[in-house]
């Protein structure tokens, strides 16, 4: 299996926050932001694997500042770690007041994707190498996030084993 750089997956997407994207506060809906994040992260994962991908998990989305209607958002995604068939993707969201040029870190997120073969089964992905200091920090902290994911998955499995599903009418 070959090795790729993190930069090979780097994806940047800019959008203008429209009225249909906003809530009654005049700021972007969290769900709209989540959709943008999932989309740009999926593109980064596909660039890395050159395969179709599915979202396996969203570890977190930290909303750091509101984004107002009429501002732009610029999302940057990069694959930060790989497993046999999975890829962790980091997304950074920066908003910009297009009239003043002020830019603010608005959100960050970590997601996991699985690459699929032609039959829709998980398939191997290339390894990854970090080059910049920021990439090295992201890669160095990936193992701890993977551990937390496994813990969360085990806790979720225990929790859902206790749930009942009622028939609906």
């Amino acid at each position: 299996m070959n090795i790729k750089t993190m930069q090979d997956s780097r994806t940047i997407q800019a959008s203008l926050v429209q009225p249909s994207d906003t809530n009654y506060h005049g700021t972007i809906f969290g769900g709209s932001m989540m959709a943008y994040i999932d989309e740009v992260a999926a593109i980064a994962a596909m660039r890395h694997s050159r395969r179709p991908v599915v979202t396996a998990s969203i570890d977190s989305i930290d909303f750091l500042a509101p984004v107002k209607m009429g501002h732009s958002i610029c999302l940057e995604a990069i694959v930060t770690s790989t497993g046999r068939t999975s890829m962790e993707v980091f997304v950074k969201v920066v908003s910009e007041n297009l009239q003043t040029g002020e830019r603010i870190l608005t959100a960050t997120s970590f997601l996991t994707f699985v690459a699929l073969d032609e039959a829709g089964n998980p398939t191997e992905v290339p390894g990854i190498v970090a080059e910049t200091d920021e990439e090295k920090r992201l890669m160095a902290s990936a193992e701890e996030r993977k551990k937390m994911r496994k813990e969360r998955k085990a806790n979720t499995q225990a929790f859902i084993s206790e749930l009942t599903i009622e028939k609906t009418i």
Side-chain angles (χ1 to χ4, degrees):
M1 187 62 45
N2 59 354
I3 304 285
K4 293 185 172 182
T5 68
M6 287 185 181
Q7 285 300 313
D8 291 334
S9 68
R10 186 171 183 240
T11 303
I12 297 173
Q13 178 178 319
S15 295
L16 183 64
V17 178
Q18 301 286 344
S20 61
D21 295 321
T22 61
N23 57 32
Y24 65 94
H25 299 292
T27 60
I28 195 167
F29 279 117
S32 295
M33 179 77 76
M34 292 168 67
Y36 285 127
I37 288 169
D38 190 41
E39 180 180 40
V40 74
I43 293 169
M46 286 187 272
R47 279 188 171 160
H48 179 77
S49 65
R50 294 297 173 198
R51 295 284 188 173
V53 299
V54 292
T55 308
S57 72
I58 300 175
D59 291 358
S60 64
I61 298 177
D62 294 312
F63 297 102
L64 306 172
V67 183
K68 295 178 181 175
M69 183 182 62
H71 288 196
S72 73
I73 56 170
C74 183
L75 299 94
E76 180 179 353
I78 193 166
V79 173
T80 55
S81 177
T82 59
R84 191 177 68 76
T85 63
S86 65
M87 297 156 281
E88 177 190 78
V89 180
F90 173 65
V91 178
K92 172 173 53 176
V93 183
V94 174
S95 65
E96 181 179 354
N97 179 328
L98 295 170
Q99 294 179 345
T100 67
E102 179 185 21
R103 295 172 54 91
I104 299 171
L105 181 62
T106 301
T108 60
S109 184
F110 284 97
L111 304 88
T112 303
F113 290 84
V114 173
L116 304 176
D117 64 15
E118 293 77 13
N121 298 311
T123 190
E124 289 189 17
V125 299
I128 195 143
V129 63
E131 297 174 306
T132 69
D133 288 341
E134 183 174 317
E135 290 172 356
K136 289 174 184 174
R137 282 192 303 277
L138 286 165
M139 183 178 270
S141 58
E143 193 58 40
E144 182 63 27
R145 286 186 299 277
K146 183 177 181 180
K147 180 181 163 190
M148 291 186 319
R149 257 181 239 117
K150 285 184 178 186
E151 220 173 90
R152 186 179 70 236
K153 186 175 182 179
N155 289 339
T156 299
Q157 291 299 323
F159 174 74
I160 64 173
S161 70
E162 302 291 325
L163 294 177
T164 57
I165 299 175
E166 301 294 327
K167 292 183 180 180
T168 59
I169 298 177

